[in-house]
Amino acid sequence: MKIIFIIDQVYLHGGIERVLSIKANYLASIPDNEIYIITTEQKDKKPCYEFNDKIIFKDLGINYQRNKSYFHPVNLRKLPKHIKRTKSVIKKINPDIVVVCSHSTDTYFIPFINKDIPKVKEFHYSKFIELENRRNPRNLQKKYFLKFADYVETKYDRLVILNQDEATYYTSNNTVVIPNPLTFYPEKVSTISNNIVITAGRIASVKGYDMLIDIWEIVSKKHPGWELHIYGDGEPGYVKMLQDKINTKNLQNHLILKGVTNDVKGKMLASSIFAMSSHNECFPLVLLEAQACGLPIISFDCPNGPRNIVNTQNGVLIPVYDNIEFANQLIELMKNKMKLEEMGKNARQNASNYSVENVMKLWNNMFNELLS
């Protein structure tokens, strides 16, 4: 089978890039498969994740300005070249399947070129964020763009979504649920003996770290002796705002912005609880990673990812924005090591359901269905 994956780049650390490396490596390990990754702006940089040597990379050299919308005039001028080069490279490779990974301009033209080749579009974000614009369209331009997006989606042979809740946001009947695969499953698990709560992810407002700081202020007053470690990086101004808030509340000795780490597994294994305070998520891979390390999870029950991973046996879901309940449940877990250990065992078991082998069976089944 000859498969093309299309993505903007693979030199920046991110969930989409990480998952692509796992899927592509698995498929490349199968005899007779040919795997290609087409990028638009790799800029001669090395991939940030390891890829099988058999995988063939091709960069189109479009180089959109990433600090502007893809639909800004300066980027739209590059669209004809993008379409022409994409069409040419697909024709030359002549793949069996084309899979669009990232959500950039190619999402909107891929179904209309090289029409005889099956096309698949992956969605890695929750369409919940579009609901308000769909219910109360204040901006006519946005309203018509969303209608156009709905139309484009019907032209794909399959839309891969990460959980069943997301299916309600799509008007087409071509969706298939395939979760992200687990990135690691360590032999050892956390001993649940260190008084550390961990969270990790992109430092951005959607992750709700400002609320987590407020939650930790409550926790530290009622149940001192624990630390909260936040791993990740983001826009410097936003990171500074969070640090200033930590300092203002005098939490800096036990609430620490740790920055980026290349050993998130090791940091999780040295912790006892994973916390998530996001406003919305689609399928947060980091929760599965925490479960694989044997960590109980406490998370806001935000749309729509956590509830598809966390249940009462392996963690606690908190009504969105109920900071006091979040703090109280954290304290309850901190006080009960037996409950932590039991939840950790159940979390580990749940994570095993998302092994690479299990998830890639679903991908291969879909590919074979499209080609039959």
Side-chain angles (χ1 to χ4, degrees), residues 253-310:
N253 291 331
H254 44 88
L255 198 172
I256 306 164
L257 299 180
K258 290 283 192 173
V260 175
T261 178
N262 291 322
D263 184 26
V264 69
K265 176 173 65 176
K267 305 304 180 185
M268 288 178 173
L269 290 172
S271 305
S272 296
I273 301 172
F274 188 94
M276 175 167 278
S277 53
S278 297
H279 295 271
N280 63 75
E281 291 280 353
C282 190
F283 192 85
L285 187 58
V286 70
L287 293 189
L288 283 184
E289 293 172 338
Q291 288 190 336
C293 293
L295 293 186
I297 290 166
I298 182 163
S299 170
F300 280 136
D301 186 17
C302 65
N304 283 304
R307 72 183 64 145
N308 286 281
I309 298 171
V310 181

Coordinates of all heavy atoms in Angstrom, one line a residue, residues 253-310:
N253 N 7.0 28.7 45.7 CA 7.8 27.6 46.3 C 7.2 26.2 46.0 O 7.9 25.2 46.2 CB 7.9 27.8 47.8 CG 8.8 29.1 48.1 OD1 9.7 29.4 47.3 ND2 8.5 29.7 49.2
H254 N 5.9 26.1 45.7 CA 5.3 24.8 45.5 C 4.4 24.7 44.2 O 3.8 23.7 44.0 CB 4.5 24.4 46.7 CG 3.7 25.5 47.3 ND1 2.4 25.7 46.9 CD2 3.9 26.4 48.3 CE1 1.9 26.7 47.6 NE2 2.8 27.2 48.4
L255 N 4.4 25.8 43.4 CA 3.8 25.7 42.1 C 4.8 26.2 41.1 O 5.1 27.4 41.1 CB 2.5 26.6 42.1 CG 1.5 26.4 40.9 CD1 0.2 27.2 41.2 CD2 2.0 26.6 39.6
I256 N 5.3 25.4 40.3 CA 6.5 25.7 39.5 C 6.2 25.5 38.0 O 5.8 24.4 37.6 CB 7.7 24.8 39.9 CG1 7.9 24.9 41.4 CG2 8.9 25.2 39.2 CD1 8.8 23.9 42.0
L257 N 6.4 26.5 37.2 CA 6.4 26.4 35.7 C 7.8 25.8 35.3 O 8.8 26.4 35.4 CB 6.2 27.8 35.1 CG 4.9 28.5 35.4 CD1 4.9 29.8 34.7 CD2 3.7 27.6 35.0
K258 N 7.8 24.5 34.9 CA 9.0 23.8 34.7 C 9.6 24.0 33.3 O 10.7 23.5 33.0 CB 8.8 22.3 34.9 CG 8.6 22.0 36.4 CD 9.9 22.0 37.1 CE 9.8 21.4 38.5 NZ 11.1 21.2 39.1
G259 N 8.8 24.5 32.4 CA 9.2 24.7 31.0 C 9.1 23.3 30.2 O 8.5 22.4 30.7
V260 N 9.8 23.3 29.1 CA 9.7 22.1 28.2 C 10.6 21.0 28.8 O 11.6 21.2 29.4 CB 10.2 22.4 26.8 CG1 10.2 21.2 25.9 CG2 9.2 23.4 26.2
T261 N 10.1 19.7 28.6 CA 11.0 18.6 29.0 C 10.9 17.6 27.9 O 9.9 17.4 27.2 CB 10.5 17.9 30.3 OG1 11.3 16.8 30.6 CG2 9.0 17.5 30.2
N262 N 12.1 16.9 27.7 CA 12.1 15.8 26.7 C 11.9 14.5 27.4 O 12.0 13.4 26.7 CB 13.5 15.8 26.0 CG 13.7 17.0 25.1 OD1 12.7 17.4 24.4 ND2 14.9 17.6 25.0
D263 N 11.6 14.5 28.6 CA 11.3 13.3 29.4 C 10.0 13.4 30.2 O 10.0 13.3 31.4 CB 12.5 13.0 30.4 CG 12.4 11.7 31.1 OD1 11.7 10.8 30.6 OD2 12.9 11.6 32.2
V264 N 8.9 13.6 29.5 CA 7.6 13.7 30.1 C 7.3 12.4 30.8 O 6.7 12.4 31.9 CB 6.5 14.1 29.2 CG1 6.2 13.0 28.2 CG2 5.3 14.6 29.9
K265 N 7.7 11.3 30.3 CA 7.4 10.0 30.9 C 8.1 9.9 32.3 O 7.5 9.5 33.3 CB 7.9 8.8 30.0 CG 7.8 7.5 30.6 CD 8.1 6.3 29.6 CE 9.6 6.4 29.3 NZ 10.0 5.2 28.4
G266 N 9.4 10.3 32.3 CA 10.1 10.3 33.6 C 9.5 11.2 34.6 O 9.4 10.9 35.8
K267 N 9.0 12.4 34.2 CA 8.4 13.3 35.1 C 7.1 12.8 35.7 O 6.7 13.0 36.8 CB 8.2 14.7 34.4 CG 9.4 15.3 33.8 CD 10.5 15.5 34.8 CE 11.8 16.1 34.2 NZ 12.9 16.1 35.1
M268 N 6.3 12.1 34.8 CA 5.1 11.5 35.2 C 5.3 10.4 36.2 O 4.6 10.2 37.2 CB 4.3 11.0 34.0 CG 3.7 12.0 33.2 SD 2.8 11.3 31.7 CE 2.0 12.8 31.0
L269 N 6.3 9.5 36.0 CA 6.6 8.4 36.9 C 7.1 8.9 38.2 O 7.0 8.2 39.2 CB 7.7 7.6 36.2 CG 7.3 6.7 35.0 CD1 8.5 6.1 34.4 CD2 6.3 5.7 35.4
A270 N 7.6 10.2 38.3 CA 8.0 10.7 39.6 C 6.9 11.5 40.3 O 7.1 12.2 41.3 CB 9.2 11.7 39.4
S271 N 5.7 11.5 39.7 CA 4.5 12.2 40.3 C 3.5 11.2 40.8 O 3.6 10.0 40.6 CB 3.9 13.1 39.2 OG 4.9 14.0 38.7
S272 N 2.4 11.8 41.4 CA 1.3 10.9 41.9 C -0.1 11.2 41.4 O -1.0 10.4 41.5 CB 1.3 11.1 43.5 OG 2.5 10.6 44.0
I273 N -0.3 12.4 40.8 CA -1.6 12.7 40.3 C -1.4 13.6 39.0 O -0.4 14.4 39.0 CB -2.4 13.5 41.3 CG1 -2.7 12.8 42.6 CG2 -3.8 14.0 40.7 CD1 -3.4 13.6 43.7
F274 N -2.2 13.4 38.0 CA -2.2 14.3 36.8 C -3.4 15.1 36.9 O -4.5 14.6 37.1 CB -2.1 13.5 35.5 CG -1.9 14.4 34.3 CD1 -0.6 14.6 33.9 CD2 -2.9 15.0 33.7 CE1 -0.4 15.4 32.8 CE2 -2.7 15.9 32.6 CZ -1.4 16.0 32.1
A275 N -3.2 16.5 36.6 CA -4.4 17.4 36.7 C -4.5 18.0 35.3 O -3.6 18.4 34.6 CB -4.1 18.5 37.7
M276 N -5.8 18.2 34.9 CA -6.1 18.9 33.6 C -7.2 19.9 33.8 O -8.2 19.6 34.4 CB -6.5 17.9 32.5 CG -6.9 18.6 31.2 SD -7.1 17.4 29.8 CE -5.4 17.3 29.3
S277 N -6.9 21.2 33.4 CA -7.9 22.3 33.7 C -8.3 22.9 32.4 O -8.8 24.1 32.4 CB -7.2 23.3 34.6 OG -5.9 23.7 34.0
S278 N -8.3 22.2 31.3 CA -8.6 22.8 29.9 C -10.1 23.3 29.8 O -11.0 22.7 30.4 CB -8.3 21.8 28.8 OG -6.9 21.5 28.8
H279 N -10.3 24.3 29.0 CA -11.6 24.7 28.6 C -12.3 23.7 27.6 O -13.5 23.5 27.7 CB -11.6 26.1 27.9 CG -11.1 27.2 28.9 ND1 -12.0 27.9 29.7 CD2 -9.9 27.7 29.1 CE1 -11.3 28.8 30.4 NE2 -10.0 28.7 30.0
N280 N -11.5 23.2 26.7 CA -12.0 22.2 25.8 C -10.8 21.3 25.3 O -9.7 21.8 25.2 CB -12.8 22.8 24.6 CG -12.0 23.7 23.7 OD1 -11.1 23.2 22.9 ND2 -12.2 25.0 23.8
E281 N -11.1 20.1 25.0 CA -10.1 19.1 24.5 C -10.9 18.2 23.5 O -12.1 18.0 23.7 CB -9.5 18.3 25.6 CG -8.6 19.1 26.6 CD -7.2 19.3 26.0 OE1 -6.9 18.7 25.0 OE2 -6.4 20.0 26.6
C282 N -10.1 17.6 22.6 CA -10.7 16.6 21.7 C -10.4 15.2 22.2 O -11.3 14.4 22.4 CB -10.3 16.8 20.3 SG -11.2 15.9 19.1
F283 N -9.1 14.9 22.2 CA -8.7 13.6 22.7 C -7.3 13.8 23.3 O -6.3 13.6 22.6 CB -8.7 12.5 21.6 CG -8.5 11.1 22.2 CD1 -9.6 10.4 22.6 CD2 -7.2 10.5 22.2 CE1 -9.4 9.1 23.1 CE2 -7.1 9.3 22.7 CZ -8.2 8.5 23.2
P284 N -7.2 14.3 24.5 CA -5.9 14.6 25.1 C -5.0 13.4 25.3 O -5.1 12.7 26.3 CB -6.2 15.3 26.4 CG -7.6 14.9 26.7 CD -8.3 14.5 25.4
L285 N -4.0 13.3 24.4 CA -3.1 12.1 24.5 C -2.3 12.1 25.8 O -2.0 11.1 26.3 CB -2.1 12.2 23.3 CG -1.1 11.1 23.0 CD1 -1.9 9.8 22.8 CD2 -0.3 11.4 21.8
V286 N -2.1 13.3 26.3 CA -1.3 13.4 27.6 C -2.0 12.6 28.7 O -1.4 12.1 29.6 CB -1.0 14.9 27.9 CG1 -2.3 15.6 28.4 CG2 0.0 15.0 29.0
L287 N -3.4 12.6 28.7 CA -4.1 11.8 29.7 C -3.8 10.3 29.6 O -3.6 9.6 30.6 CB -5.6 12.0 29.6 CG -6.1 13.4 29.9 CD1 -7.6 13.5 30.0 CD2 -5.5 14.0 31.2
L288 N -3.7 9.8 28.4 CA -3.4 8.4 28.2 C -1.9 8.1 28.7 O -1.7 7.1 29.2 CB -3.5 8.0 26.7 CG -4.9 7.7 26.2 CD1 -4.8 7.3 24.7 CD2 -5.7 6.7 27.0
E289 N -1.0 9.1 28.4 CA 0.3 8.9 28.8 C 0.4 8.8 30.3 O 1.2 8.0 30.9 CB 1.2 10.0 28.2 CG 1.3 10.0 26.7 CD 2.0 11.2 26.2 OE1 2.0 12.3 26.8 OE2 2.5 11.2 25.0
A290 N -0.3 9.7 31.0 CA -0.4 9.7 32.4 C -0.9 8.4 33.0 O -0.4 7.8 33.9 CB -1.2 10.9 32.9
Q291 N -2.0 7.9 32.3 CA -2.6 6.6 32.7 C -1.6 5.5 32.5 O -1.5 4.6 33.4 CB -3.8 6.4 32.0 CG -5.0 7.3 32.4 CD -6.3 6.8 31.8 OE1 -6.4 6.2 30.8 NE2 -7.4 7.2 32.5
A292 N -0.8 5.5 31.5 CA 0.2 4.5 31.2 C 1.2 4.4 32.3 O 1.8 3.4 32.6 CB 0.8 4.7 29.8
C293 N 1.5 5.6 32.9 CA 2.4 5.7 34.0 C 1.8 5.4 35.4 O 2.4 5.5 36.4 CB 3.0 7.1 34.0 SG 4.1 7.4 32.6
G294 N 0.5 5.0 35.3 CA -0.2 4.6 36.6 C -0.7 5.8 37.4 O -0.8 5.7 38.6
L295 N -0.9 6.9 36.7 CA -1.4 8.1 37.5 C -2.9 8.3 37.4 O -3.5 8.2 36.4 CB -0.8 9.4 36.9 CG 0.7 9.6 37.0 CD1 1.1 11.0 36.5 CD2 1.2 9.4 38.5
P296 N -3.5 8.5 38.6 CA -4.9 8.9 38.6 C -5.0 10.3 38.0 O -4.1 11.0 38.0 CB -5.3 8.9 40.1 CG -4.2 8.2 40.8 CD -3.0 8.3 39.9
I297 N -6.2 10.6 37.4 CA -6.4 11.8 36.7 C -7.5 12.6 37.4 O -8.6 12.0 37.7 CB -6.7 11.6 35.2 CG1 -5.4 11.1 34.5 CG2 -7.1 12.9 34.6 CD1 -5.6 10.6 33.2
I298 N -7.3 13.9 37.6 CA -8.4 14.8 38.0 C -8.5 15.9 36.9 O -7.5 16.5 36.6 CB -8.3 15.3 39.4 CG1 -9.5 16.2 39.8 CG2 -7.0 16.1 39.5 CD1 -9.6 16.5 41.2
S299 N -9.7 16.0 36.3 CA -9.8 16.9 35.2 C -11.2 17.6 35.2 O -12.2 17.0 35.6 CB -9.6 16.1 33.9 OG -10.0 16.9 32.7
F300 N -11.3 18.8 34.6 CA -12.6 19.3 34.3 C -13.2 18.5 33.2 O -12.6 17.9 32.3 CB -12.4 20.8 33.7 CG -12.2 21.8 34.8 CD1 -11.3 22.8 34.6 CD2 -13.0 21.9 35.9 CE1 -11.1 23.8 35.6 CE2 -12.8 22.8 36.9 CZ -11.9 23.8 36.7
D301 N -14.5 18.3 33.3 CA -15.3 17.5 32.3 C -15.6 18.4 31.1 O -16.8 18.6 30.8 CB -16.6 17.0 33.0 CG -17.3 16.0 32.1 OD1 -16.7 15.5 31.1 OD2 -18.5 15.8 32.4
C302 N -14.6 18.9 30.5 CA -14.7 19.8 29.4 C -15.1 19.0 28.1 O -14.8 17.9 28.0 CB -13.5 20.7 29.2 SG -12.0 19.7 28.7
P303 N -15.7 19.7 27.1 CA -16.0 19.0 25.9 C -14.7 18.8 25.1 O -13.9 19.7 25.0 CB -16.8 20.0 25.1 CG -17.1 21.1 26.1 CD -16.1 21.1 27.2
N304 N -14.5 17.6 24.6 CA -15.2 16.4 24.8 C -14.3 15.3 25.2 O -14.7 14.1 25.3 CB -16.0 15.9 23.6 CG -17.3 16.7 23.3 OD1 -18.1 16.8 24.2 ND2 -17.4 17.3 22.2
G305 N -13.0 15.6 25.3 CA -12.0 14.5 25.4 C -11.9 13.8 26.8 O -11.9 12.5 26.8
P306 N -11.8 14.5 27.9 CA -11.5 13.8 29.1 C -12.5 12.7 29.5 O -12.2 11.6 30.0 CB -11.5 14.9 30.2 CG -11.0 16.1 29.4 CD -11.6 15.9 28.1
R307 N -13.8 12.9 29.2 CA -14.8 12.0 29.6 C -14.7 10.7 28.8 O -15.3 9.7 29.2 CB -16.2 12.6 29.4 CG -16.7 12.8 28.0 CD -18.0 13.5 27.9 NE -18.0 14.8 28.4 CZ -18.7 15.9 27.9 NH1 -19.5 15.6 26.9 NH2 -18.6 17.1 28.4
N308 N -14.0 10.7 27.7 CA -13.8 9.5 26.9 C -12.6 8.7 27.3 O -12.3 7.6 26.8 CB -13.7 9.9 25.4 CG -15.0 10.3 24.8 OD1 -15.8 9.5 24.4 ND2 -15.2 11.6 24.7
I309 N -11.9 9.2 28.3 CA -10.7 8.6 28.8 C -10.8 8.3 30.3 O -10.3 7.3 30.8 CB -9.4 9.4 28.5 CG1 -9.3 9.6 27.0 CG2 -8.2 8.8 29.2 CD1 -8.2 10.6 26.6
V310 N -11.4 9.2 31.0 CA -11.4 9.2 32.5 C -12.8 8.7 33.0 O -13.8 9.2 32.5 CB -11.1 10.6 33.1 CG1 -11.1 10.5 34.6 CG2 -9.8 11.1 32.6

